[in-house]
Amino acid sequence: MTESSLKNVLVVSFGFLLLFTAYGGLQSLQSSLYGEEGLGVTALSTLYGGMLLSSMFLPPLLIKRFGCKWTIVISMCCYVAFSLGNFYASWFTLVPTSILLGLGAAPLWSAQGTYLTIMGNTQAEKAGKVGRDVVNQYFGTFFLIFQSSGVWGNLISSLVFGQTPRQEAIPEEQLLSCGASDCLMATASTNSTQRPSQTLIYTLLGIYTGSGVLAVLLVAVFLEPIKDAQRKREGDEGPPFWSTLLSTFRLLGDKRLRLLVLLPMYSGFEQAFLAGDYTRSYVTCALGIRFVGYVMICFSATNSLCSVLYGRLSQKTGRAALYTLGAVTHLCCIIALLLWEPHPRQLAVFFVFSGLWGVSDAVWQTQNNALYGVLFEKNKEAAFANYRLWESLGFVIAFGYSTFLCVNVKLYILLGVLSLAMLAYGTVEYLEAKKVARPAAAEQAKPAEGEETETAM
């Protein structure tokens, strides 16, 4: 990496680190903090509903109008609003700020994906390297730094909430309704699931809001704006307004994208399960709210380390091997979670599950982004908008049924979606391999034709 491209990758990465230190910590706690009448989970569901709507048309428009840098800055402000909404958590503050965050989320991620892809390809051209490898490396570096946001956000929440007076032991009858058998009956408010004091909640929200404001300032001041060299070369002024608006949907005409919608959708399902169900029905139910942060730190740490590892590995093993690793790991976790009866005595097991979940999630985060960037290089903004659209739909559906389905049913749904997603992904890899094989066969046929002509002469 040259000095300037390294600086830009780091500015984007640390901006997202600060922003998601706040948002990640808040998301993990929504279902445990605001359990009454399902406010927390509803807020998360409307948040991803907003994201779903904005994925349809906002990203290409904003990126075209303001460029990647300012799209990131504007979107980050929507996240800060959500932190502020949590200060007076009610249906009238949490739901509107959730929608606002959702509207900002899709442009934020599309701009980040577009920015890193353009910069990777530009850098590869200068250095005479393969564009895909440099883009992969940039995403690996970004996700290494970004995924650690979960560590800091959850560490802050655990340290702040750890100041609650000592909790009494959780009664055995409550433990029976934890885990896969939880049908949301485990709402008996023992000391362990009880809300921390309002002062502690305000302290935490103050730290989170400050972190978000820092993120906005960092990107606004230090990130360099970037132009898409490919478009410049083609002398393209960019498509008209309606064309940009519809580009997200037009891309669905591509058979590969139609097959690939299940991958981001599954990514939404599995993250929603971890944030909404694992934290509440396993961790808070059996250990208490103060452990949520520590268990999620384990997820974020393995996620972060694996992200950078996969960036390097994918160049040697190819992406198919990594997808297989991710799918097999999640498959084993889902089956084990169905059978396991959580108990405070098995403290280590709570961490093993979240760690393995991180190993898998790192595959979906790094490889899905790189896959979309590589397969749809000429329609990057629309491709990343589609990615967020389908991921959001996964979140909306998963948080939507979160309040009325038993945990074991949710695990079976995860199992089904994972199986279908991997089947569809395998089909895309097969189509791509065939496409690569065809030009190679044509090249071999050409010299043979040349020889025939000579003979005829």
Side-chain angles (χ1 to χ4, degrees), residues 375-396:
L375 290 185
F376 311 105
E377 200 203 323
K378 289 197 170 159
N379 300 300
K380 289 182 289 286
E381 294 98 329
F384 285 118
N386 260 296
Y387 180 76
R388 292 296 148 196
L389 169 73
W390 296 102
E391 188 179 48
S392 311
L393 186 62
F395 273 112
V396 171

Side-chain angles (χ1 to χ4, degrees), residues 79-304:
Y79 277 74
V80 178
F82 179 67
S83 297
L84 294 170
N86 272 265
F87 274 98
Y88 302 100
S90 73
W91 291 93
F92 302 108
T93 55
L94 267 191
V95 175
T97 52
S98 293
I99 294 169
L100 186 63
L101 188 154
L103 292 174
L108 178 75
W109 282 104
S110 295
Q112 172 267 346
T114 307
Y115 190 93
L116 290 185
T117 306
I118 293 172
M119 203 165 59
N121 286 326
T122 313
Q123 188 52 37
E125 217 169 276
K126 285 181 193 161
K129 291 180 180 170
V130 182
R132 182 177 56 206
D133 291 347
V134 181
V135 172
N136 248 328
Q137 195 189 343
Y138 282 5
F139 274 110
T141 308
F142 170 81
F143 278 105
L144 166 74
I145 295 168
F146 163 72
Q147 293 293 4
S148 70
S149 65
V151 175
W152 309 119
N154 289 305
L155 181 63
I156 292 166
S157 82
S158 279
L159 291 174
V160 171
F161 288 162
Q163 296 166 32
T164 314
R166 296 306 301 156
Q167 280 102 350
E168 66 207 33
I170 296 168
E172 287 293 324
E173 60 268 24
Q174 185 185 320
L175 290 172
L176 290 175
S177 58
C178 293
S181 54
D182 180 17
C183 289
L184 306 185
M185 298 305 161
T187 45
S189 183
T190 60
N191 260 355
S192 61
T193 54
Q194 214 173 308
R195 281 169 62 86
S197 74
Q198 204 54 44
T199 316
L200 289 180
I201 294 174
Y202 282 152
T203 307
L204 183 66
L205 292 172
I207 297 169
Y208 283 165
T209 308
S211 178
V213 172
L214 270 177
V216 175
L217 293 174
L218 178 72
V219 175
V221 177
F222 294 106
L223 189 68
E224 290 170 25
I226 197 163
K227 287 274 184 288
D228 191 341
Q230 189 185 6
R231 276 202 187 146
K232 223 190 286 177
R233 270 202 309 277
E234 292 166 7
D236 183 8
E237 282 301 303
F241 175 84
W242 288 111
S243 157
T244 311
L245 190 65
L246 296 170
S247 60
T248 307
F249 293 110
R250 204 180 299 115
L251 199 56
L252 280 168
D254 191 322
K255 186 179 178 181
R256 296 169 307 169
L257 184 66
R258 289 201 302 278
L259 283 166
L260 285 178
V261 296
L262 281 171
L263 273 181
M265 212 165 163
Y266 175 71
S267 166
F269 272 97
E270 55 93 8
Q271 288 177 75
F273 176 81
L274 189 78
D277 298 300
Y278 186 70
T279 54
R280 179 186 55 207
S281 302
Y282 288 83
V283 185
T284 302
C285 183
L287 297 176
I289 195 169
R290 71 185 195 285
F291 276 98
V292 169
Y294 294 126
V295 169
M296 292 301 279
I297 286 171
C298 188
F299 164 76
S300 302
T302 53
N303 205 327
S304 195

Side-chain angles (χ1 to χ4, degrees), residues 446-457:
K446 262 182 202 162
E449 280 169 24
E451 281 162 29
E452 275 169 34
T453 322
E454 272 173 38
T455 321
M457 283 166 82

